Amino acid sequence: KLAELVKLSSHQLSELINTQFQMSFSKLVRQFRIDAAKAMLIAEPRASVLSVGMSVGFSSQSNFYAAFKELTGIVPGQYRKSSSSQP
């Protein structure tokens, strides 16, 4: 859909993303989702970690936790706790 919107073939879009961001389209999307989740974990302290993961586009809690830990080094609950204790 994105390729259609920007009037490129999916191959051209993939090459452009790889060149500009040094990562695949799926990794770029995952990074955006984790960034959105990090913001939500802080902005919405009453939202469950699972609801945050689902609202940013992850299909399961395990996928969300794995991606979050891979990109941040900690699980979402630890991130929320450490971020809320900072001034």
Side-chain angles (χ1 to χ4, degrees):
K1 287 186 176 190
L2 180 59
E4 289 174 19
L5 287 171
V6 296
K7 299 188 184 330
L8 294 173
S9 71
S10 57
H11 178 74
Q12 289 172 317
L13 179 61
S14 178
E15 288 295 317
L16 180 64
I17 289 170
N18 287 336
T19 301
Q20 294 299 313
F21 297 100
Q22 287 77 49
M23 67 178 71
S24 68
F25 178 75
S26 61
K27 286 187 178 185
L28 182 63
V29 168
R30 187 175 61 164
Q31 181 66 57
F32 278 118
R33 287 177 176 168
I34 295 300
D35 290 345
K38 286 165 59 177
M40 277 185 77
L41 287 166
I42 304 311
E44 300 180 31
R46 291 191 169 170
S48 72
V49 171
L50 176 58
S51 69
V52 169
M54 299 299 243
S55 68
V56 298
F58 286 92
S59 59
S60 72
Q61 183 173 338
S62 61
N63 287 342
F64 176 48
Y65 272 66
F68 198 97
K69 185 162 185 175
E70 182 181 331
L71 294 177
T72 67
I74 57 176
V75 295
Q78 289 174 310
Y79 178 83
R80 176 183 269 168
K81 186 176 181 180
S82 67
S83 296
S84 65
S85 64
Q86 294 177 1

